[in-house]
Amino acid sequence: MNKSIEIMAPAGSYESLMAAINAGANSVYFGIEQLNMRARAANNFTTEDLKKIVKICKEHNVKTYLTLNTIMYDHDITLMKKICDTAKEEGVTAAICSDVAAMSYAKEIGLEVHISTQANVSNFETVKFYAQFADVIVLARELTFKQVKRITENIEKEQVKGPSGNLVEIELFIHGALCVAVSGKCYMSLATYNSSANRGACLQNCRRSYKVIDEETGDELVIDNKYIMSPKDLCTIGFIDKILDSGVKVLKIEGRGRAPDYVHTTVGCYREAVDSYKEGTYTEEKINVWTKRLETVFNRGFWHGGYYLGKQLGEWSGIYGSKTTKEKKYLGLAKNYFMKPKIAEFQLEAFEVKVGDEILITGPTTGVIQMNIESLFKDEKKVDSAVKGDEITFPVSEKVRPNDKLFLIVDVKNDKPN
């Protein structure tokens, strides 16, 4: 490969942003205000955050991509232009767009454009069309590797270039939620609750269980899997070689609404997988380890390879919510960190913690620290455990900040059907 592969991570908070950076992401994508596909989510930055986000990322040589990917009405244009102007002024790397109005204006002011998966780009002719606006194009998630490879080969063959003068690069989703609609272009939430997914306000009613009843007879049809509109999450950790061999340059992880530990784990696993592929050490044994790690954070069960390996049907989640093998329990907040001995101090607000327990520490500057407690102290005395109300200290090799959150990681007993 003559160019390094870019791993793009979701960032819905400063904790997730730092988790992505520390885990080895090359770029992050995030939304501000309401013109993005996670507008309803609590995890959105504001225009005022842009300067700080760009500053943090530039310090770590990480690219910044602003999601501006909803469909837009006439009354959105003024805000869209304001967001683009601010992004350009603050030095955001690129805007991810699906509406031609946003693409056109961003190009006009010299802000790099990437085409969102919401544009449903599924063939080479469409790639050539969007090349007038964009340097990077995200393909629809319904393509196979064979189709993807044909597109990347044609870009090379016909020397299709974007506004920068460089060959257009192809980006692909590699991990996270899949939608029952074509690349997320869904109208179910709008039709049922007047809350449009394409305006960033999806209520995800497709993820629920449903009964099918014949209104004339009252007969209920038997459905083996009640979650017939909720696909399992995409997981390509076992097929990174096929993705990279297909000519894809940017690997995108879904999950701007997910917790920092999700970002930390997914980015870390795919970073290791890509590096292993390049080094010639990408093995089945490593794939199994990475898969187990990915199962410890939010997932609806995994569809290994998704549509990329062919149009296999029946990969439905089987449950509402997550199939994670681990869960977090909030323990308390950090009070201090002693730099020389590398000791962190916490106030326990809930539950019990013991030597040997797996814990998670998260914070807007810290990102994510995941470790096991090797020794534990209370009132400067070594103890085996501590409970709610105790002030505790224990060694942490990385710096912890006041008010960082401490969580206990425990196994989940999941008896729900697959």
Side-chain angles (χ1 to χ4, degrees):
M1 288 174 287
N2 56 14
K3 182 185 182 298
S4 60
I5 299 301
E6 181 178 325
I7 294 180
M8 186 194 300
S13 65
Y14 282 110
E15 288 88 346
S16 293
L17 176 67
M18 292 309 303
I21 291 171
N22 293 336
N26 305 105
S27 60
V28 294
Y29 66 104
F30 53 90
I32 61 172
E33 314 304 342
Q34 68 261 40
L35 298 181
N36 72 87
M37 293 301 291
R38 293 293 181 270
R40 181 178 285 272
N43 298 343
N44 268 309
F45 294 105
T46 66
T47 305
E48 288 69 36
D49 287 311
L50 281 181
K51 183 186 290 291
K52 182 177 179 181
I53 293 169
V54 172
K55 181 176 184 293
I56 291 171
C57 289
K58 283 186 175 179
E59 288 173 353
H60 293 88
N61 195 30
V62 169
K63 296 177 182 178
T64 48
Y65 301 135
L66 174 64
T67 55
L68 201 59
N69 55 349
T70 61
I71 59 172
M72 295 182 186
Y73 300 138
D74 283 330
H75 67 260
D76 297 319
I77 301 304
T78 299
L79 176 58
M80 177 272 289
K81 290 182 176 180
K82 178 184 175 184
I83 291 173
C84 285
D85 289 340
T86 306
K88 175 66 175 175
E89 180 182 341
E90 299 298 348
V92 170
T93 306
I96 302 173
C97 308
S98 65
D99 195 298
V100 174
M103 298 175 207
S104 181
Y105 185 73
K107 180 185 176 183
E108 179 183 321
I109 65 172
L111 176 62
E112 184 178 322
V113 172
H114 294 186
I115 302 299
S116 169
T117 190
Q118 298 300 124
N120 307 137
V121 178
S122 304
N123 60 75
F124 177 61
E125 293 301 318
T126 305
V127 167
K128 286 198 294 184
F129 170 80
Y130 281 122
Q132 65 184 297
F133 300 106
D135 290 292
V136 177
I137 296 176
V138 189
L139 296 183
R141 301 175 212 188
E142 292 74 30
L143 300 183
T144 64
F145 286 131
K146 184 177 180 180
Q147 291 170 310
V148 173
K149 187 173 180 61
R150 186 179 298 121
I151 289 172
T152 60
E153 287 176 344
N154 282 332
I155 290 172
E156 183 75 34
K157 180 181 178 181
E158 296 195 19
Q159 291 292 289
V160 179
K161 297 178 180 179
S164 68
N166 297 319
L167 289 180
V168 167
E169 294 183 353
I170 292 301
E171 177 180 320
L172 216 59
F173 273 92
I174 59 167
H175 192 91
L178 289 170
C179 181
V180 71
V182 176
S183 278
K185 208 76 170 179
C186 181
Y187 292 90
M188 184 174 182
S189 183
L190 176 65
T192 52
Y193 294 105
N194 197 31
S195 187
S196 175
N198 302 299
R199 299 276 291 166
C202 182
L203 294 178
Q204 296 200 343
N205 44 325
C206 59
R207 301 292 183 187
R208 302 172 190 167
S209 61
Y210 288 90
K211 295 179 180 179
V212 177
I213 298 175
D214 186 325
E215 289 189 347
E216 289 189 12
T217 65
D219 292 339
E220 181 180 335
L221 304 183
V222 176
I223 301 174
D224 290 337
N225 186 335
K226 294 185 293 182
Y227 298 87
I228 56 174
M229 293 180 287
S230 181
K232 291 179 180 178
D233 288 356
L234 174 65
C235 179
T236 65
I237 200 77
F239 306 94
I240 285 296
D241 52 345
K242 287 183 170 58
I243 293 176
L244 300 184
D245 288 343
S246 70
V248 173
K249 293 294 192 291
V250 185
L251 311 183
K252 187 171 190 174
I253 296 169
E254 186 276 337
R256 278 190 290 129
R258 301 283 169 247
D261 55 304
Y262 169 93
V263 177
H264 174 79
T265 299
T266 53
V267 172
C269 287
Y270 282 97
R271 172 83 278 159
E272 291 174 22
V274 169
D275 291 345
S276 292
Y277 173 80
K278 290 197 236 178
E279 295 162 1
T281 60
Y282 180 72
T283 64
E284 194 67 35
E285 290 75 19
K286 287 186 176 182
I287 290 169
N288 291 334
V289 171
W290 293 320
T291 301
K292 291 295 184 185
R293 281 168 56 190
L294 291 168
E295 288 172 350
T296 67
V297 292
F298 185 96
N299 69 87
R300 296 182 180 89
F302 288 139
W303 185 358
H304 295 281
Y307 291 108
Y308 300 143
L309 292 178
K311 305 298 192 289
Q312 180 182 352
L313 300 179
E315 293 288 344
W316 309 112
S317 64
I319 63 166
Y320 184 82
S322 180
K323 283 187 175 181
T324 177
T325 60
K326 302 274 188 178
E327 68 178 352
K328 306 189 297 290
K329 291 185 176 181
Y330 175 74
L331 291 174
L333 295 175
K335 295 185 64 179
N336 206 345
Y337 184 75
F338 305 97
M339 292 293 292
K340 193 170 182 180
K342 295 188 175 182
I343 298 291
E345 181 182 16
F346 289 89
Q347 176 73 51
L348 288 185
E349 300 176 12
F351 298 109
E352 178 186 19
V353 65
K354 305 183 296 296
V355 173
D357 280 345
E358 185 178 4
I359 60 160
L360 189 77
I361 302 167
T362 69
T365 303
T366 304
V368 169
I369 300 172
Q370 194 163 349
M371 55 173 280
N372 292 86
I373 295 180
E374 295 182 357
S375 58
L376 186 63
F377 298 85
K378 186 178 82 169
D379 298 327
E380 299 185 358
K381 294 180 181 178
K382 199 168 187 178
V383 295
D384 293 325
S385 63
V387 297
K388 176 181 176 181
D390 290 343
E391 288 186 5
I392 60 172
T393 58
F394 55 85
V396 182
S397 59
E398 300 174 56
K399 185 178 179 181
V400 174
R401 281 83 178 173
N403 295 318
D404 280 358
K405 294 177 182 178
L406 175 66
F407 298 90
L408 177 67
I409 305 296
V410 297
D411 292 332
V412 173
K413 187 176 181 180
N414 195 340
D415 296 323
K416 294 177 182 178
N418 291 321

